[in-house]
């Protein structure tokens, strides 16, 4: 998940599980190198699938189509890079290396700007706030 690179607020448990898989894959690469098996880690950007549907905020954020994601997966299989980082999560990781306090401050603002989804609270879905829609509009098209 690109959330590993971007320290995605509200998803700490999900991101932690993906970070564990990332570390597992890196260690596995060392263990299997002598038998000529390589690993690749793909930090997938947001993909418009049924999994993200309950989080209505995602309706306003840029996301890849399943076909775009499949193409990236196939390219990763063919080219066999160690790591594939794309789009905003990769940019956030770079900025975090240079200015971690700034990234944490901005992520904290986003965390407080967008409350937990109704689905996370066990309630019916509500429309995002005007501020949430504005942010989604501002970053629309930044995914590539």
């Amino acid at each position: 998940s690109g959330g590993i690179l971007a320290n995605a607020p509200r998803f700490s448990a999900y991101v932690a599980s993906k970070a564990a898989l990332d570390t597992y894959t890196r260690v596995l690469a060392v263990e299997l190198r002598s038998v000529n098996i390589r690993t690749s880690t793909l930090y997938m950007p947001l993909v418009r699938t049924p999994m993200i549907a309950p989080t209505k905020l995602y309706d306003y954020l840029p996301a890849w189509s399943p076909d775009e994601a499949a193409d990236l997966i196939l390219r990763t299989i063919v080219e066999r890079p160690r790591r594939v980082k794309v789009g905003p999560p990769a940019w956030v990781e770079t900025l975090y290396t240079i200015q971690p306090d700034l990234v944490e401050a901005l992520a904290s603002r986003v965390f407080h700007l967008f409350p937990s989804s109704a689905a996370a609270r066990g309630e019916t879905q509500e429309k995002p706030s005007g501020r949430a829609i504005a942010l989604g509009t501002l970053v629309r098209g930044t995914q590539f």
Side-chain angles (χ1 to χ4, degrees):
S1 169
I4 294 171
L5 307 176
N7 305 318
R10 292 232 181 271
F11 299 97
S12 55
Y14 176 81
V15 171
S17 72
K18 301 308 175 202
L21 182 59
D22 181 31
T23 301
Y24 172 79
T25 303
R26 288 173 32 206
V27 173
L28 190 63
V30 172
E31 295 172 352
L32 297 176
R33 185 175 182 85
S34 65
V35 292
N36 201 30
I37 295 175
R38 302 293 185 256
T39 64
S40 293
T41 300
L42 170 54
Y43 301 91
M44 188 61 74
L46 187 63
V47 178
R48 192 135 337 264
T49 65
M51 184 181 101
I52 71 167
T55 306
K56 290 302 175 189
L57 168 63
Y58 291 151
D59 290 347
Y60 300 90
L61 295 178
W64 284 27
S65 72
D67 287 342
E68 290 170 315
D71 287 344
L72 182 60
I73 292 167
L74 290 173
R75 209 169 55 227
T76 300
I77 291 168
V78 170
E79 295 174 7
R80 300 174 59 188
R82 283 190 174 82
R83 292 187 162 157
V84 178
K85 303 173 183 181
V86 295
W91 308 335
V92 172
E93 181 192 42
T94 300
L95 185 56
Y96 188 82
T97 301
I98 300 165
Q99 285 289 336
D101 288 337
L102 173 64
V103 172
E104 287 177 7
L106 292 172
S108 179
R109 293 280 294 164
V110 169
F111 174 77
H112 291 291
L113 180 62
F114 303 105
S116 293
S117 69
R121 297 187 311 268
E123 302 169 1
T124 57
Q125 295 296 310
E126 78 280 350
K127 187 173 180 172
S129 70
R131 293 188 316 180
I133 293 169
L135 179 63
T137 301
L138 178 68
V139 299
R140 186 175 310 280
T142 60
Q143 202 82 342
F144 61 83

